[in-house]
Amino acid sequence: MRKTKKIGLTFLFPGNIIKSNPVERISFFGRMESPMEQKYARITLDKDFQISRIDKRIYGSFIEHLGRAVYGGIYQPGHPSADEEGFRKDVLDLVREIGVPIVRYPGGNFVSNFYWEDSVGPVAERPRRLELAWRSTEPNLVGVNEFASWSKKAGSQVMMAVNLGTRGIEAACNLLEYCNHPAGTKYSDLRISHGVKDPHNIKVWCLGNEMDGPWQTGHKTAQEYGRLADETGKAMKQIDPSLELVVCGSSNTNMPTYPQWEATVLEEAYDSVDFVSLHTYYGNRFHDTANFLAQSDDMDHFIKTIISTCDFVKAKRRAKKDIMLSFDEWNVWFHANEADDDTMKNRPWSVAPHLLEDHYDFEDALLVGLMLITLLKHSDRVRMACLAQLVNVIAPIMTEENGPAWKQTIFYPYLHASKYGRGIALNPALRSSKHDTRDFTDVTDVETVAVWDDQKDQVTIFAVNRDLEEDITLEADLRSFAGYRVLEHIVLENGDMNATNSAESQNVVPKVVSDRDQLQDGLLQSRLGKASWNVIRLGK
Ligand code: AHR
């Protein structure tokens, strides 16, 4: 909970404020906890405590024409690993290792001045354009068709954004016709003349990007944008009613128009759209790790607010359908801000400059894990989400121009969630000791969610111990998972919160531990190291 005023009984312990509830201090194992065991985490896993079947698109990501995401990232002809189309195979291998079901493209802020026609046809004839969002030059060597081809190789669907900044209904419909119509019309035949016979069949479309932000080219008021989104969505669904359309929500919760923006936009566009977008980025500018790690509670609150706003508009309009949430930009982003401002201000208009190349550390990986847990806790309404972004730009995957692709710290929780978080999200009915931080109250020491893979008959518990001083034992009543055993307990932990990875050294890597779990009579005790990400896999 974001801090307003403190309530309830608190006892002060070194470094933390522990909230104590005497009733809760009897463990599953029937014994009273001694004063030394003040910190606790208890969960109950039951097949009936279902949040939702998880839409795999919750593990999506994002590639924007920004910095070195495209040029020098996914695409680098001449690199030793480049394939016949110029795509780096080392990058593709890492994307496939994660398993990224959907990738948003081509922006981001970039899309608000994107002329898609410039990005198709013979490469030699494509114009170079001024790219206004990031003050770069866009060479248009990679465009709509190349990206669709890359996505296929990556095993991902495309989530395509249309320009509602400098353009509108016509350009959006033309792009849709170009991408999806089989043949026999101006734009479908244009695609075929460009050597792409089969339609791309892109089903998810974003109606612009962050249109509430004054930084956006063609920024609009909620009313203006809501009308345009409604008319654009209506026209696009005339072409294909099975499309899933995402309308822009607020750029973040600090926007002065939040959350009235969502209410106004949805009142205009409710019938035409299926999703509302949410974006958030967190940082640790105050070097306060406990506070930094509590920010997933802010994300939780953000999601709850948007659900309420959608449902308010639903009630007001006597509508039948629910609007789902697309959390299509989320991550840690702050490390490279000053350098980026300097580049854009003082060295504009270069091709693929080093921008937003945040070098992530260990604590960033913990917050990314916490944010993944938060998304899963809301998987009944958050049906899509995109870690922003995927390669080089605030990304889990980095590339060296003359060297390999390598994994940032945040690669690992993302990999684990995508790999083991498929199936049905279970509410673990968590009871945990809590602490307060600079900006938040009642922050659980442990945050967790579980996923039951009913195909493989396995359960995975994702858990972060956000206590920076102490290990905490997670006690789990496994109830309806009788006969299960611990298959594996993977941890990401590090004595140094600011440890980072690089092309040369992987300092923050997961390891499998074998001495932290005890399972007896359906009761699991797992030791969660202080400040750690845990993936506890159970099965028969
Ligand atoms: O992901 C980087 C930028 O963050 C995106 O272009 C924009 O949508 C957001 O502000």
Side-chain angles (χ1 to χ4, degrees):
M1 185 187 293
R2 235 187 213 287
K3 199 170 257 178
T4 40
K5 75 177 171 123
K6 258 207 221 126
I7 45 164
L9 270 182
T10 56
F11 299 105
L12 203 56
F13 283 80
N16 263 330
I17 296 169
I18 306 299
K19 292 184 182 294
S20 165
N21 175 343
V23 177
E24 288 191 335
R25 283 174 50 198
I26 300 172
S27 82
F28 281 146
F29 300 90
R31 61 191 161 75
M32 280 298 289
E33 290 166 344
S34 75
M36 295 306 291
E37 293 175 307
Q38 294 286 343
K39 296 184 181 169
Y40 61 89
R42 259 167 250 136
I43 60 175
T44 301
L45 299 187
D46 192 305
K47 287 177 183 167
D48 287 337
F49 294 1
Q50 298 191 2
I51 299 169
S52 174
R53 185 168 289 281
I54 298 157
D55 188 325
K56 66 178 180 188
R57 298 177 299 180
I58 208 170
Y59 303 117
S61 191
F62 178 25
I63 294 275
E64 178 167 3
H65 281 251
L66 192 184
R68 296 192 309 127
V70 174
Y71 308 110
I74 62 170
Y75 174 83
Q76 193 183 341
H79 187 273
S81 82
D83 69 10
E84 65 294 347
E85 288 184 284
F87 294 129
R88 283 183 65 150
K89 285 194 271 192
D90 55 354
V91 172
L92 276 167
D93 285 344
L94 293 181
V95 175
R96 281 191 292 250
E97 182 180 340
I98 295 169
V100 182
I102 193 163
V103 182
R104 188 163 173 254
Y105 176 85
N109 296 337
F110 170 85
V111 81
S112 294
N113 187 47
F114 176 50
Y115 292 81
W116 68 265
E117 301 87 338
D118 296 343
S119 84
V120 296
V123 173
E125 291 169 23
R126 296 182 194 171
R128 287 161 68 90
R129 296 291 304 253
L130 286 184
E131 195 293 291
L132 304 187
W134 308 101
R135 307 192 80 217
S136 310
T137 296
E138 171 54 51
N140 281 309
L141 304 176
V142 171
V144 169
N145 295 320
E146 289 81 14
F147 188 74
S149 172
W150 179 85
S151 301
K152 212 177 266 174
K153 291 179 179 181
S156 312
Q157 294 168 32
V158 178
M159 177 193 286
M160 182 70 84
V162 299
N163 176 356
L164 294 190
T166 58
R167 307 186 85 183
I169 307 171
E170 187 185 356
C173 289
N174 293 348
L175 175 58
L176 174 58
E177 181 185 319
Y178 181 89
C179 288
N180 285 8
H181 197 69
T185 62
K186 175 172 172 178
Y187 289 103
S188 57
D189 287 345
L190 183 65
R191 184 196 68 242
I192 294 167
S193 78
H194 292 157
V196 185
K197 186 171 167 291
D198 294 330
H200 298 309
N201 208 14
I202 296 168
K203 286 293 173 194
V204 182
W205 294 76
C206 302
L207 300 172
N209 175 72
E210 295 190 347
M211 299 308 302
D212 62 327
W215 58 86
Q216 201 68 220
T217 310
H219 155 67
K220 294 173 176 50
T221 64
Q223 192 94 39
E224 288 165 349
Y225 169 67
R227 287 278 304 117
L228 179 59
D230 186 41
E231 293 301 332
T232 308
K234 229 167 60 187
M236 290 175 79
K237 284 201 174 171
Q238 279 292 105
I239 297 174
D240 180 356
S242 73
L243 298 181
E244 293 181 279
L245 301 183
V246 186
V247 76
C248 295
S250 298
S251 302
N252 59 69
T253 56
N254 294 321
M255 298 302 292
T257 46
Y258 166 82
Q260 183 59 50
W261 171 275
E262 281 81 353
T264 305
V265 166
L266 284 173
E267 279 174 22
E268 295 292 345
Y270 200 95
D271 295 337
S272 311
V273 304
D274 307 279
F275 288 82
V276 62
S277 72
L278 294 83
H279 292 180
T280 203
Y281 295 99
Y282 296 120
N284 189 6
R285 290 182 188 81
F286 303 110
H287 306 290
D288 179 339
T289 300
N291 197 57
F292 174 68
L293 296 181
Q295 290 176 110
S296 58
D297 288 19
D298 181 67
M299 185 190 207
D300 184 77
H301 191 242
F302 184 13
I303 292 171
K304 285 176 179 152
T305 304
I306 299 306
I307 292 172
S308 309
T309 308
C310 291
D311 292 351
F312 163 75
V313 180
K314 177 185 177 187
K316 203 170 161 193
R317 294 177 61 88
R318 284 27 170 192
K320 291 224 163 23
K321 75 172 181 191
D322 286 321
I323 297 290
M324 295 295 163
L325 276 53
S326 171
F327 215 126
D328 47 43
E329 288 190 33
W330 67 271
N331 203 349
V332 173
W333 173 17
F334 75 108
H335 293 283
N337 286 174
E338 277 175 36
D340 294 336
D341 289 348
D342 180 56
T343 304
M344 285 188 283
K345 183 162 177 244
N346 299 316
R347 290 177 299 285
W349 316 123
S350 60
V351 174
H354 288 259
L355 283 177
L356 280 65
E357 297 201 10
D358 279 38
H359 200 169
Y360 290 116
D361 60 18
F362 170 62
E363 67 181 16
D364 297 330
L366 291 181
L367 184 57
V368 163
L370 286 158
M371 293 172 87
L372 283 159
I373 289 172
T374 307
L375 292 170
L376 286 168
K377 281 167 57 182
H378 291 287
S379 50
D380 53 336
R381 288 299 283 272
V382 180
R383 310 301 296 178
M384 299 193 291
C386 302
L387 174 69
Q389 299 190 7
L390 190 54
V391 183
N392 285 335
V393 168
I394 43 175
I397 298 169
M398 299 298 286
T399 64
E400 302 295 305
E401 192 184 339
N402 300 309
W406 54 275
K407 302 169 180 177
Q408 294 241 48
T409 60
I410 63 169
F411 181 95
Y412 296 106
Y414 183 35
L415 164 76
H416 294 151
S418 178
K419 195 165 170 188
Y420 302 118
R422 309 278 175 123
I424 297 168
L426 298 178
N427 178 352
L430 170 69
R431 285 180 291 153
S432 167
S433 47
K434 295 174 180 170
H435 61 275
D436 292 350
T437 70
R438 185 179 178 276
D439 298 321
F440 298 90
T441 57
D442 292 318
V443 180
T444 56
D445 292 332
V446 168
E447 185 56 287
T448 184
V449 74
V451 175
W452 171 35
D453 184 335
D454 53 338
Q455 307 292 310
K456 294 191 184 146
D457 206 10
Q458 293 181 353
V459 169
T460 301
I461 302 170
F462 299 103
V464 173
N465 177 1
R466 343 187 215 199
D467 194 290
L468 305 178
E469 308 295 332
E470 292 181 34
D471 296 356
I472 296 180
T473 299
L474 175 72
E475 296 180 348
D477 177 340
L478 294 183
R479 286 188 179 200
S480 51
F481 297 98
Y484 274 44
R485 61 188 177 85
V486 177
L487 301 176
E488 192 177 43
H489 182 162
I490 306 167
V491 300
L492 199 60
E493 51 191 16
N494 202 292
D496 178 2
M497 286 290 161
N498 301 118
T500 55
N501 291 342
S502 66
E504 293 75 37
S505 50
Q506 287 276 299
N507 302 311
V508 181
V509 285
K511 63 180 179 194
V512 175
V513 289
S514 54
D515 57 345
R516 305 212 183 159
D517 308 279
Q518 282 179 4
L519 177 53
Q520 219 185 341
D521 301 330
L523 296 173
L524 171 73
Q525 282 190 307
S526 292
R527 182 159 60 82
L528 310 180
K530 63 183 179 186
S532 64
W533 161 255
N534 299 263
V535 182
I536 305 165
R537 300 182 49 232
L538 303 147
K540 289 202 171 140

